[in-house]
């Protein structure tokens, strides 16, 4: 059986002033957007993540799953946006993902939050079709994906269905709900449950203990905390953890590596 490597990323939020951005991209009026220092740091970590994936690949077949919210969307015009154009956001997201598509044997797109990516076949569908990702049924994106990679069965969906586990002292509770609910649903219908469930959306890593029948894990984001996250006290602020997950698969067994990076704390102003 061939060896595999699966990379799972999510929540790029391209088009946000704290989301993933190239060094420069064109705006519709003929100007250009120049990212902030923090966004340049984020872009460097994006390149570092994929360099690490390539180094870990070593003859393995690479599968990539982009687990939703690739763009910020124009839901709040003028609020921390690099552009108010959803079409520009989708174009830039496609440009950032094209190099990934070139090195991946298989690449799948999972739909994110409608307020960001539009309802139905929105941003992920448009970008997936543009860069040539795998079809899921007749579309280039889907709300969920059951994927068997090298004998390991995965279930992907953007939304966890629970907000638990965002805070340090509640870690594990959210993904425990995901794992047990999914296991009971499959077993109650006499189907074999997946081995691994991957969720995203909350921008905070969380996972279950290995003693559960399904390992459920939530990805961090590839964007920094925005004003809303700071207002509601989300755990990806003031110091954000960004990055993705990498699963090494061989002979039906898997091992997960966390490729995480910590943003800098708020800059201190000294008063002597």
């Amino acid at each position: 059986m061939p060896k595999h490597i699966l990379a799972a990323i999510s929540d790029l939020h391209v088009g946000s002033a704290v989301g993933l951005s190239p060094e420069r991209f064109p705006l519709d009026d003929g100007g250009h957007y120049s990212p902030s220092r923090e966004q340049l740091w984020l872009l460097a970590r994006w390149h570092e993540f994929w360099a690490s994936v390539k180094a870990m690949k070593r003859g393995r077949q690479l599968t990539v799953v982009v687990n939703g919210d690739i763009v910020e969307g124009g839901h709040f015009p003028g609020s921390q946006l690099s552009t108010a154009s959803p079409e520009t956001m989708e174009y830039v997201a496609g440009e950032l993902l094209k190099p990934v598509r070139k090195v991946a044997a298989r690449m799948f797109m999972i739909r994110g939050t409608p307020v960001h990516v539009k309802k139905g076949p929105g941003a992920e569908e448009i970008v997936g079709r543009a860069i040539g990702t795998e079809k899921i049924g007749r579309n280039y994106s889907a709300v969920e994906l059951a994927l068997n990679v090298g004998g390991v069965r995965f279930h992907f969906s953007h939304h966890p269905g629970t907000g638990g586990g965002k805070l340090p002292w509640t870690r594990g509770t959210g993904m425990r709900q995901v794992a047990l609910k999914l296991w009971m649903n499959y077993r109650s219908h006499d189907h074999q449950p997946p081995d691994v469930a991957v969720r995203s959306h909350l921008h905070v890593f969380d996972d279950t203990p290995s003693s559960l029948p399904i390992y459920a894990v939530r990805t961090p984001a590839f964007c920094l905390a925005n004003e809303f996250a700071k207002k509601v006290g989300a755990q990806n602020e003031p110091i954000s953890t960004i990055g993705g997950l990498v699963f090494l698969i061989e002979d039906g067994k898997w091992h997960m590596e966390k490729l995480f990076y910590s943003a800098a704390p708020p800059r201190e102003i000294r008063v002597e």
Side-chain angles (χ1 to χ4, degrees), residues 157-232:
S157 187
H158 179 72
H159 295 97
T162 171
K166 289 192 294 184
L167 300 172
W169 52 89
T170 63
R171 194 73 78 237
T173 57
M175 288 299 95
R176 189 177 292 113
Q177 292 180 53
V178 171
L180 293 176
K181 180 182 177 182
L182 193 62
W183 183 83
M184 293 178 71
N185 178 259
Y186 269 73
R187 295 306 301 166
S188 67
H189 294 279
D190 295 322
H191 289 288
Q192 182 65 30
D195 302 302
V196 181
V198 181
R199 302 293 186 265
S200 302
H201 185 60
L202 297 179
H203 299 198
V204 182
F205 173 78
D206 190 22
D207 69 344
T208 57
S210 58
S211 57
L212 293 187
I214 296 176
Y215 176 71
V217 61
R218 191 171 61 213
T219 62
F222 251 107
C223 68
L224 303 172
N226 60 13
E227 289 179 356
F228 176 78
K230 294 177 181 179
K231 180 181 74 173
V232 300

Side-chain angles (χ1 to χ4, degrees), residues 92-174:
V92 174
E95 292 299 300
L96 287 164
L97 288 168
K98 273 182 183 178
V100 179
R101 182 65 191 98
K102 288 180 179 179
V103 299
R106 298 285 188 273
M107 187 170 179
F108 298 90
M109 301 290 280
I110 305 302
R111 297 175 187 175
T113 310
V115 73
H116 290 298
V117 300
K118 296 181 288 193
K119 293 181 179 179
E124 286 86 13
E125 181 77 15
I126 292 166
V127 173
R129 183 184 298 111
I131 66 175
T133 59
E134 304 297 320
K135 281 192 170 184
I136 305 172
R138 64 180 183 179
N139 295 319
Y140 290 90
S141 65
V143 173
E144 64 178 345
L145 171 65
L147 184 65
N148 189 317
V149 180
V152 179
R153 303 171 70 247
F154 291 86
H155 185 273
F156 287 90
S157 187
H158 179 72
H159 295 97
T162 171
K166 289 192 294 184
L167 300 172
W169 52 89
T170 63
R171 194 73 78 237
T173 57

Side-chain angles (χ1 to χ4, degrees), residues 240-253:
S240 298
T241 298
I242 59 103
L245 305 173
V246 176
F247 295 87
L248 301 173
I249 300 165
E250 186 174 353
D251 296 329
K253 298 180 180 179

